[in-house]
Amino acid sequence: MSAKPEQKETLQANGTALPIVPTDCLPGPDRGQLVEPSNFLGPDGDGVEVVVLESRANAKGVREEDALLENGSQSNESDDTSTDRGPEPASPLKETSFSIGLQVLFPFLLAGFGTVAAGMVLDIVQHWDVFKYVTEVFILVPALLGLKGNLEMTLASRLSTAANIGQMDTPKELWKMITGNMALIQVQATVVGFLASIAAVVFGWIPDGHFSIDHAVLLCASSVATAFIASLVLGMIMIGVIIGSRKMGINPDNVATPIAASLGDLITLALLSGISWGLYKELESRAYVNPLVCAFFIALLPIWIIIAKRNAATREVLYSGWEPVIIAMAISSVGGLILDRTVSDPNFAGMAVFTPVINGVGGNLVAVQASRISTYLHMSGMPGESSEAAPRRCPSPCSTFCSSDVNSRSARVLFLLVVPGHLVFLYTISSMQGGHTTLTLIFIVFYMTAALLQVLILLYIADWMVHWMWGRDLDPDNFSIPYLTALGDLIGTGLLALSFHVLWLIGDRDSDVGD
């Protein structure tokens, strides 16, 4: 029985359970490859001759597919073939609070300085003629700045998840994801920009009862052109950031969405100001330019729709992804109405420089959290599947912020970034002599209270909303971030306006609100 020691050594070397097959099922020449025959009882008590085979294919091409399927989760490059080894947890789940904070800090500061720059731009352009005589442009500001949440941040979250679960590892897959997603956001940007202009016209007409067709066309052309160009530029930046972060071993969920916002606010606001100013000048001599600009970008829609429909990764979003971006645009427009009514009052002109900052910081932080939770859920299955990763639909505040869960840990880290981040941004605004407000202690207290309350509410809503959408078979990457960033615009603008009103009522003369 010299075959027994060989069999034992083979089992130890391979470390795998060897399949048992009847000898009659094998071709004659292969029977010499057998290790050892044994006798087992069949169903009727008859002896059946069986043999033990190695799990790898032999030289004759006999393949044991069941054994390969058993070990399918193992890497081909690994020398460890133990069947007891489970799947390796993905890198985002191994992060500590320090590593999360370290990866988020630089993009967060970069995004914050981008919003500071956007606030400085808004503080300057609010005195331009187009903003004075077509005040509905203020209503467009949160709606179009919110495009980074509705489109660019959703794109960043979607591509981050795809990169983390291995759907962008080959050049072919990468190219398909790029073309489909770029075409998709151009469709969404054009449509959302057009609808935002309609909302601005309606919200501007309802309080005053005044309507101008020239101003309506101006708003439409400015909004559509700004949305299209900004989405094109930011989309390409996002793709480069995600590809680069993967090559550098950085979790894209931690850096992609803040970087999307770092230049998003500044680029969008600069484009809106410049385009609307230029088209406003054309009203005097060449009024036909405005409708031509609007018609040109709308005429490109069929091209982008065809490209997005041909891509399986974006076809579903093209059909089902309109509800969140449209509702988010409406929510942001309400925040724009608040901004329009507040900034138009000379007593609160200083609010313009702080609005993009508080809205941008809140939106950036909640987008990071939503993207992380969504990736965490995708690693446990598909939307709609019940698993331990999505155990609750209405979490308590303690489970959101105080548990040992990795998402609770990241929520605490993001919340702790609010105060030091805003202090840096306020100091930057003050040193650049932006706004019309002196940074007194009472002003800083009211501002920080509004910022902390905004982020606290947003992080809790994100924890509930992402899990709720997952349970309803909705992909949170496509549906949650537009709602969250729009709510961030509304809550941030509302709380900031309330703070300025309270400061004015209590007579904080030292802060020079409105000077």
mmCIF file of all heavy atoms in Angstrom, residues 302-322:
data_model
loop_
_atom_site.group_PDB
_atom_site.id
_atom_site.type_symbol
_atom_site.label_atom_id
_atom_site.label_comp_id
_atom_site.label_asym_id
_atom_site.label_seq_id
_atom_site.Cartn_x
_atom_site.Cartn_y
_atom_site.Cartn_z
ATOM 1 N N PRO A 302 -30.157 65.005 -27.739
ATOM 2 C CA PRO A 302 -30.295 63.655 -28.332
ATOM 3 C C PRO A 302 -28.976 62.908 -28.453
ATOM 4 O O PRO A 302 -28.946 61.681 -28.294
ATOM 5 C CB PRO A 302 -30.908 63.941 -29.715
ATOM 6 C CG PRO A 302 -31.614 65.242 -29.560
ATOM 7 C CD PRO A 302 -30.785 66.031 -28.593
ATOM 8 N N ILE A 303 -27.882 63.604 -28.713
ATOM 9 C CA ILE A 303 -26.582 62.942 -28.842
ATOM 10 C C ILE A 303 -26.178 62.297 -27.521
ATOM 11 O O ILE A 303 -25.790 61.116 -27.464
ATOM 12 C CB ILE A 303 -25.514 63.950 -29.296
ATOM 13 C CG1 ILE A 303 -25.884 64.549 -30.649
ATOM 14 C CG2 ILE A 303 -24.130 63.290 -29.355
ATOM 15 C CD1 ILE A 303 -24.940 65.639 -31.116
ATOM 16 N N TRP A 304 -26.286 63.061 -26.432
ATOM 17 C CA TRP A 304 -25.895 62.514 -25.125
ATOM 18 C C TRP A 304 -26.830 61.398 -24.690
ATOM 19 O O TRP A 304 -26.392 60.428 -24.048
ATOM 20 C CB TRP A 304 -25.872 63.633 -24.081
ATOM 21 C CG TRP A 304 -25.104 64.843 -24.490
ATOM 22 C CD1 TRP A 304 -25.545 66.131 -24.524
ATOM 23 C CD2 TRP A 304 -23.746 64.896 -24.946
ATOM 24 N NE1 TRP A 304 -24.564 66.971 -24.965
ATOM 25 C CE2 TRP A 304 -23.442 66.250 -25.235
ATOM 26 C CE3 TRP A 304 -22.754 63.928 -25.141
ATOM 27 C CZ2 TRP A 304 -22.194 66.645 -25.693
ATOM 28 C CZ3 TRP A 304 -21.514 64.325 -25.607
ATOM 29 C CH2 TRP A 304 -21.247 65.658 -25.874
ATOM 30 N N ILE A 305 -28.105 61.509 -25.023
ATOM 31 C CA ILE A 305 -29.054 60.457 -24.651
ATOM 32 C C ILE A 305 -28.705 59.148 -25.346
ATOM 33 O O ILE A 305 -28.737 58.062 -24.734
ATOM 34 C CB ILE A 305 -30.498 60.895 -24.994
ATOM 35 C CG1 ILE A 305 -30.928 62.051 -24.085
ATOM 36 C CG2 ILE A 305 -31.466 59.724 -24.856
ATOM 37 C CD1 ILE A 305 -32.285 62.636 -24.442
ATOM 38 N N ILE A 306 -28.364 59.202 -26.618
ATOM 39 C CA ILE A 306 -28.017 57.985 -27.361
ATOM 40 C C ILE A 306 -26.781 57.313 -26.761
ATOM 41 O O ILE A 306 -26.736 56.092 -26.569
ATOM 42 C CB ILE A 306 -27.790 58.322 -28.851
ATOM 43 C CG1 ILE A 306 -29.115 58.731 -29.505
ATOM 44 C CG2 ILE A 306 -27.180 57.126 -29.588
ATOM 45 C CD1 ILE A 306 -28.956 59.255 -30.920
ATOM 46 N N ILE A 307 -25.757 58.123 -26.437
ATOM 47 C CA ILE A 307 -24.537 57.548 -25.866
ATOM 48 C C ILE A 307 -24.816 56.921 -24.505
ATOM 49 O O ILE A 307 -24.338 55.815 -24.201
ATOM 50 C CB ILE A 307 -23.448 58.635 -25.743
ATOM 51 C CG1 ILE A 307 -23.066 59.158 -27.132
ATOM 52 C CG2 ILE A 307 -22.215 58.086 -25.030
ATOM 53 C CD1 ILE A 307 -22.092 60.321 -27.111
ATOM 54 N N ALA A 308 -25.602 57.604 -23.666
ATOM 55 C CA ALA A 308 -25.894 57.069 -22.338
ATOM 56 C C ALA A 308 -26.756 55.812 -22.412
ATOM 57 O O ALA A 308 -26.581 54.887 -21.604
ATOM 58 C CB ALA A 308 -26.596 58.138 -21.492
ATOM 59 N N LYS A 309 -27.661 55.727 -23.390
ATOM 60 C CA LYS A 309 -28.524 54.550 -23.518
ATOM 61 C C LYS A 309 -27.744 53.320 -23.956
ATOM 62 O O LYS A 309 -28.121 52.188 -23.631
ATOM 63 C CB LYS A 309 -29.652 54.825 -24.512
ATOM 64 C CG LYS A 309 -30.773 55.698 -23.973
ATOM 65 C CD LYS A 309 -31.831 55.935 -25.023
ATOM 66 C CE LYS A 309 -32.524 54.646 -25.414
ATOM 67 N NZ LYS A 309 -33.622 54.881 -26.368
ATOM 68 N N ARG A 310 -26.680 53.513 -24.705
ATOM 69 C CA ARG A 310 -25.902 52.371 -25.187
ATOM 70 C C ARG A 310 -25.003 51.770 -24.120
ATOM 71 O O ARG A 310 -24.438 50.698 -24.331
ATOM 72 C CB ARG A 310 -25.044 52.808 -26.385
ATOM 73 C CG ARG A 310 -25.850 53.103 -27.640
ATOM 74 C CD ARG A 310 -24.945 53.527 -28.782
ATOM 75 N NE ARG A 310 -25.700 53.742 -30.017
ATOM 76 C CZ ARG A 310 -25.156 54.165 -31.157
ATOM 77 N NH1 ARG A 310 -23.853 54.431 -31.214
ATOM 78 N NH2 ARG A 310 -25.906 54.332 -32.231
ATOM 79 N N ASN A 311 -24.882 52.423 -22.994
ATOM 80 C CA ASN A 311 -24.027 51.944 -21.916
ATOM 81 C C ASN A 311 -24.888 51.337 -20.816
ATOM 82 O O ASN A 311 -25.755 52.002 -20.251
ATOM 83 C CB ASN A 311 -23.180 53.101 -21.358
ATOM 84 C CG ASN A 311 -22.055 52.614 -20.467
ATOM 85 O OD1 ASN A 311 -22.280 51.870 -19.529
ATOM 86 N ND2 ASN A 311 -20.838 53.046 -20.771
ATOM 87 N N ALA A 312 -24.651 50.060 -20.518
ATOM 88 C CA ALA A 312 -25.471 49.379 -19.512
ATOM 89 C C ALA A 312 -25.313 49.983 -18.129
ATOM 90 O O ALA A 312 -26.241 49.942 -17.321
ATOM 91 C CB ALA A 312 -25.106 47.891 -19.473
ATOM 92 N N ALA A 313 -24.138 50.557 -17.849
ATOM 93 C CA ALA A 313 -23.886 51.118 -16.520
ATOM 94 C C ALA A 313 -24.697 52.374 -16.253
ATOM 95 O O ALA A 313 -24.936 52.732 -15.100
ATOM 96 C CB ALA A 313 -22.394 51.412 -16.351
ATOM 97 N N THR A 314 -25.118 53.083 -17.303
ATOM 98 C CA THR A 314 -25.841 54.348 -17.119
ATOM 99 C C THR A 314 -27.265 54.308 -17.663
ATOM 100 O O THR A 314 -28.015 55.258 -17.448
ATOM 101 C CB THR A 314 -25.079 55.488 -17.820
ATOM 102 O OG1 THR A 314 -24.884 55.149 -19.212
ATOM 103 C CG2 THR A 314 -23.729 55.698 -17.173
ATOM 104 N N ARG A 315 -27.632 53.230 -18.346
ATOM 105 C CA ARG A 315 -28.974 53.171 -18.942
ATOM 106 C C ARG A 315 -30.056 53.261 -17.875
ATOM 107 O O ARG A 315 -31.045 53.993 -18.019
ATOM 108 C CB ARG A 315 -29.129 51.879 -19.743
ATOM 109 C CG ARG A 315 -30.438 51.816 -20.546
ATOM 110 C CD ARG A 315 -30.564 50.489 -21.288
ATOM 111 N NE ARG A 315 -29.428 50.275 -22.167
ATOM 112 C CZ ARG A 315 -28.592 49.250 -22.058
ATOM 113 N NH1 ARG A 315 -28.764 48.356 -21.092
ATOM 114 N NH2 ARG A 315 -27.595 49.105 -22.898
ATOM 115 N N GLU A 316 -29.873 52.537 -16.779
ATOM 116 C CA GLU A 316 -30.897 52.544 -15.726
ATOM 117 C C GLU A 316 -31.014 53.919 -15.080
ATOM 118 O O GLU A 316 -32.116 54.397 -14.811
ATOM 119 C CB GLU A 316 -30.559 51.491 -14.671
ATOM 120 C CG GLU A 316 -31.577 51.416 -13.542
ATOM 121 C CD GLU A 316 -31.199 50.405 -12.486
ATOM 122 O OE1 GLU A 316 -30.193 49.689 -12.686
ATOM 123 O OE2 GLU A 316 -31.906 50.333 -11.467
ATOM 124 N N VAL A 317 -29.852 54.563 -14.836
ATOM 125 C CA VAL A 317 -29.885 55.889 -14.216
ATOM 126 C C VAL A 317 -30.531 56.902 -15.157
ATOM 127 O O VAL A 317 -31.224 57.820 -14.723
ATOM 128 C CB VAL A 317 -28.460 56.337 -13.850
ATOM 129 C CG1 VAL A 317 -28.484 57.683 -13.136
ATOM 130 C CG2 VAL A 317 -27.785 55.297 -12.970
ATOM 131 N N LEU A 318 -30.337 56.730 -16.467
ATOM 132 C CA LEU A 318 -30.939 57.636 -17.445
ATOM 133 C C LEU A 318 -32.453 57.601 -17.359
ATOM 134 O O LEU A 318 -33.124 58.629 -17.547
ATOM 135 C CB LEU A 318 -30.476 57.253 -18.850
ATOM 136 C CG LEU A 318 -30.983 58.117 -20.006
ATOM 137 C CD1 LEU A 318 -30.451 59.536 -19.889
ATOM 138 C CD2 LEU A 318 -30.594 57.508 -21.346
ATOM 139 N N TYR A 319 -33.002 56.429 -17.063
ATOM 140 C CA TYR A 319 -34.454 56.295 -16.970
ATOM 141 C C TYR A 319 -34.990 56.621 -15.575
ATOM 142 O O TYR A 319 -36.051 57.236 -15.440
ATOM 143 C CB TYR A 319 -34.876 54.868 -17.340
ATOM 144 C CG TYR A 319 -34.660 54.523 -18.793
ATOM 145 C CD1 TYR A 319 -33.998 53.360 -19.170
ATOM 146 C CD2 TYR A 319 -35.118 55.356 -19.810
ATOM 147 C CE1 TYR A 319 -33.789 53.049 -20.514
ATOM 148 C CE2 TYR A 319 -34.920 55.051 -21.147
ATOM 149 C CZ TYR A 319 -34.255 53.896 -21.484
ATOM 150 O OH TYR A 319 -34.055 53.587 -22.805
ATOM 151 N N SER A 320 -34.256 56.198 -14.540
ATOM 152 C CA SER A 320 -34.819 56.277 -13.181
ATOM 153 C C SER A 320 -34.168 57.333 -12.298
ATOM 154 O O SER A 320 -34.591 57.508 -11.154
ATOM 155 C CB SER A 320 -34.669 54.907 -12.491
ATOM 156 O OG SER A 320 -33.303 54.551 -12.354
ATOM 157 N N GLY A 321 -33.122 58.024 -12.786
ATOM 158 C CA GLY A 321 -32.385 58.929 -11.915
ATOM 159 C C GLY A 321 -32.846 60.365 -11.928
ATOM 160 O O GLY A 321 -32.123 61.240 -11.447
ATOM 161 N N TRP A 322 -34.046 60.633 -12.468
ATOM 162 C CA TRP A 322 -34.489 62.022 -12.582
ATOM 163 C C TRP A 322 -35.163 62.544 -11.328
ATOM 164 O O TRP A 322 -35.062 63.734 -11.019
ATOM 165 C CB TRP A 322 -35.453 62.159 -13.768
ATOM 166 C CG TRP A 322 -34.766 61.947 -15.061
ATOM 167 C CD1 TRP A 322 -34.797 60.835 -15.856
ATOM 168 C CD2 TRP A 322 -33.886 62.863 -15.718
ATOM 169 N NE1 TRP A 322 -34.007 61.001 -16.951
ATOM 170 C CE2 TRP A 322 -33.433 62.251 -16.897
ATOM 171 C CE3 TRP A 322 -33.437 64.144 -15.417
ATOM 172 C CZ2 TRP A 322 -32.559 62.871 -17.777
ATOM 173 C CZ3 TRP A 322 -32.560 64.764 -16.293
ATOM 174 C CH2 TRP A 322 -32.136 64.131 -17.458
#
